[in-house]
Amino acid sequence: MFVDSLVDKLAEHPAQRMRFVARDRTTLVKTYGEIHDDAVRLMDELRDSGLGPGDLVGVFGPNSYEWILADLALLALGCVPVAIPAENRHESADIGAFVERFRLAALLVTRPLPGEAGLPAATAVLSERPVKLGPARHDDVPALPPGVRTIAFSSGTAGTQKGLMLTDDGIANTVELSARAWRVTTDDDILIVMPYSNFQQRYLTYLAISTGCAATVVPPEIMFQALKVVEPTIILGPPSFFEVLYNRVMAADPAERMDKGRGWLSMYGSRVRLMYTGSAPVPPAMVALFQELGAPLYEIYGSTEIGWIAMNVPGAARAGTAGRPVDGVTVELGDGGEVVVRAERPQVAGYVYEGVETQDAVFRPDGRIVTGDLGVLEDGFLRLAGRKNNVIITRSGVKINPAELEAGIERAFPGVRAMVALPDGAALLACVVWLDDPGKAAEVEAHITRMNADHEPSHRIATTLVRPAEELTVESGLLTRNFKIDRSAVRRTVWTSGDR
């Protein structure tokens, strides 16, 4: 088994290290040898508390050494870690609800929570050692398919956070594929920024451990301040990680852009050899600019259900596409251009908790998996074109892909985020635009007017709402933890508040 062996793998490279940078920029450094010994001690404490193979154990809290230590110890013990999203703060009184809702045997919290209420017996704070808890036992614990080793949750852009049952073989395949495609060596240092409750960040940690390379965990709030110090070699992140440089370059004098851009690349450190972006629409012009500057930025595409689906790699890349399908994956286009995948070793066996009612529509009986993404195949390269469930159908039956209209705005104004929708009860399209500089509102509206002149009446934006960019955060609920716009949350916040 792959994930069971990760703690033992640590002992193969005892001098290698992980770094955990805090918001105040203090850094905790742990060698793999130290992590191994700490994991073994935690395993003993959890075992003595009555936890064992098959138990569902929640892990809750922001990224920290305690989070990944708990994850590794639980996997080695044969438990099934349940990674509970922690974007918003919760008080102690809320924790008992997690134990009941997810039918957990125990819940491990990475740090003390606000509130005066004590923690339930089945809960322990990892900063208070030794861990002592009384497991909760439920008569209706979900039955997991064979091979399922952990549960993660989707980002919730569809309105619910699906519980995804990840298998040992699927996780191993994603790690092995990445190690080969990226040629990871012990000289590499993988950057981890997004929450551990997002499975991609855990998998990156497993990749580091299995290949013997270093890993560095940095809070997103201080990422750019930390990068020059931590000097990673491999960076994966949403487009917002890279739009900072793109926007700065595009705002510079055209005659000086290239020279200044090459200098500004230092914000990512001097050792980066691979940059990957995805999980949200990727502006092709941004990728092209990075590559023109000599920076190794590539688009990549995957899903938690499948793992990596397509990727660009040095020597086999095309800007504006997500790359060619990876080994073991076949991509075909279904109705309306929907991306449908056949994977030899998919990462997920199905859904649990929420999303179960959609499982049969996603995991087809013939083994194919429906992604919900729209795409086009161009000479074997996959170009993504938005989400199928975001397609707007007007009263007259016209189908509109909002991603195309949004891209038309965002390309013209680097750094701007836009969302096009048909508000409930409305007959005409409306658009929300988030601006750092309210003074650009008239310029944006004039651009949309020019766009409208090039479109059929059904595709014209009738109303434009300008909102402050600072409201577009994970904490506000308008962004998911993957930094995607939460379209349902925007609808509730903007159009149900009376704005039209």
Side-chain angles (χ1 to χ4, degrees):
M1 300 289 281
F2 174 74
V3 295
D4 301 50
S5 67
L6 288 169
V7 169
D8 290 337
K9 276 280 188 183
L10 288 163
E12 296 179 10
H13 301 275
Q16 190 56 278
R17 55 103 185 100
M18 284 190 200
R19 293 177 291 180
F20 298 83
V21 182
R23 290 187 182 184
D24 62 5
R25 304 190 196 182
T26 58
T27 302
L28 173 67
V29 180
K30 285 283 186 176
T31 67
Y32 281 15
E34 291 171 331
I35 300 171
H36 171 272
D37 294 345
D38 288 348
V40 170
R41 281 192 291 272
L42 181 56
M43 288 169 63
D44 290 340
E45 294 171 19
L46 297 173
R47 191 183 294 110
D48 291 344
S49 293
L51 295 175
D55 282 336
L56 300 179
V57 181
V59 184
F60 176 82
N63 285 6
S64 64
Y65 176 56
E66 291 79 12
W67 207 112
I68 201 63
L69 183 68
D71 185 46
L72 294 171
L74 290 168
L75 290 170
L77 198 58
C79 297
V80 179
V82 179
I84 298 175
E87 289 77 44
N88 300 312
R89 294 175 63 84
H90 292 269
E91 296 191 355
S92 300
D94 301 327
I95 296 301
F98 288 139
V99 175
E100 289 299 316
R101 177 182 176 187
F102 300 121
R103 320 311 282 166
L104 304 176
L107 176 63
L108 303 179
V109 182
T110 60
R111 61 184 61 177
L113 296 169
E116 298 180 357
L119 294 174
T123 304
V125 178
L126 289 167
S127 60
E128 300 172 3
R129 303 288 294 275
V131 169
K132 294 181 180 179
L133 51 79
R137 298 301 176 190
H138 309 275
D139 294 331
D140 54 350
V141 176
L144 305 182
V148 171
R149 291 310 323 278
T150 187
I151 296 171
F153 291 87
S154 64
S155 60
T157 50
T160 60
Q161 290 188 318
K162 298 176 181 177
L164 301 124
M165 299 184 289
L166 290 111
T167 68
D168 184 80
D169 184 61
I171 296 168
N173 177 62
T174 303
V175 170
E176 293 162 6
L177 190 153
S178 303
R180 288 194 309 270
W182 304 345
R183 301 180 181 179
V184 181
T185 74
T186 54
D187 292 329
D188 280 310
D189 191 330
I190 299 174
L191 182 70
I192 295 170
V193 180
M194 306 291 280
Y196 273 134
S197 56
N198 176 337
F199 180 71
Q200 185 185 93
Q201 312 311 302
R202 294 164 65 198
Y203 128 76
L204 290 174
T205 304
Y206 306 162
L207 173 63
I209 293 171
S210 65
T211 58
C213 78
T216 300
V217 183
V218 175
E221 298 86 351
I222 64 163
M223 184 180 81
F224 287 108
Q225 296 93 317
L227 282 178
K228 289 184 179 181
V229 177
V230 301
E231 296 278 11
T233 63
I234 300 175
I235 300 176
L236 276 78
S240 59
F241 280 23
F242 307 100
E243 287 171 347
V244 173
L245 174 65
Y246 175 71
N247 296 340
R248 183 182 293 184
V249 171
M250 296 308 293
D253 185 289
E256 300 177 342
R257 283 177 181 169
M258 290 300 102
D259 286 341
K260 287 189 173 181
R262 292 185 186 97
W264 290 331
L265 277 173
S266 64
M267 70 172 64
Y268 297 98
S270 62
R271 298 183 63 226
V272 180
R273 68 175 189 83
L274 272 181
M275 297 171 161
Y276 274 113
T277 189
S279 81
V282 178
M286 182 180 74
V287 176
L289 174 66
F290 267 73
Q291 294 182 357
E292 189 175 355
L293 293 172
L297 178 63
Y298 301 95
E299 188 175 348
I300 194 168
Y301 170 52
S303 72
T304 308
E305 285 88 345
I306 297 161
W308 293 129
I309 297 171
M311 69 171 69
N312 289 286
V313 294
R318 178 180 291 185
T321 77
R324 291 191 176 108
V326 300
D327 293 343
V329 165
T330 302
V331 171
E332 57 188 69
L333 301 179
D335 294 341
E338 184 172 16
V339 178
V340 180
V341 173
R342 193 182 298 276
E344 294 177 4
R345 299 167 69 185
Q347 207 165 235
V348 164
Y351 299 141
V352 66
Y353 305 131
E354 293 189 38
V356 176
E357 69 282 357
T358 68
Q359 180 168 303
D360 290 344
V362 175
F363 297 89
R364 297 271 181 85
D366 61 4
R368 295 182 301 165
I369 301 174
V370 176
T371 66
D373 294 309
L374 300 176
V376 177
L377 286 168
E378 302 172 345
D379 302 324
F381 288 84
L382 177 63
R383 178 171 60 83
L384 299 173
R387 292 283 296 171
K388 183 177 181 179
N389 62 3
N390 292 340
V391 170
I392 297 165
I393 303 178
T394 68
R395 292 176 180 175
S396 57
V398 176
K399 293 183 178 181
I400 302 168
N401 183 352
E404 296 173 355
L405 298 173
E406 292 157 2
I409 299 168
E410 293 173 353
R411 279 196 301 267
F413 300 94
V416 165
R417 301 290 295 274
M419 174 182 151
V420 174
L422 189 66
D424 292 341
L428 301 174
L429 296 180
C431 178
V432 188
V433 179
W434 288 270
L435 295 178
D436 283 318
D437 179 5
K440 288 187 176 180
E443 189 178 348
V444 172
E445 290 172 353
H447 175 75
I448 292 173
T449 298
R450 291 192 295 272
M451 282 178 51
N452 284 341
D454 295 330
H455 289 299
E456 296 294 322
S458 59
H459 286 63
R460 293 173 184 167
I461 297 169
T463 306
T464 301
L465 301 176
V466 175
R467 309 276 293 197
E470 57 264 27
E471 78 171 6
L472 204 58
T473 65
V474 174
E475 290 74 20
S476 72
L478 299 183
L479 290 183
T480 71
R481 65 180 184 273
N482 293 338
F483 295 134
K484 298 178 183 178
I485 292 175
D486 188 326
R487 305 179 88 91
S488 297
V490 171
R491 283 177 172 275
R492 292 192 302 271
T493 302
V494 176
W495 284 299
T496 60
S497 66
D499 290 332
R500 283 289 188 272

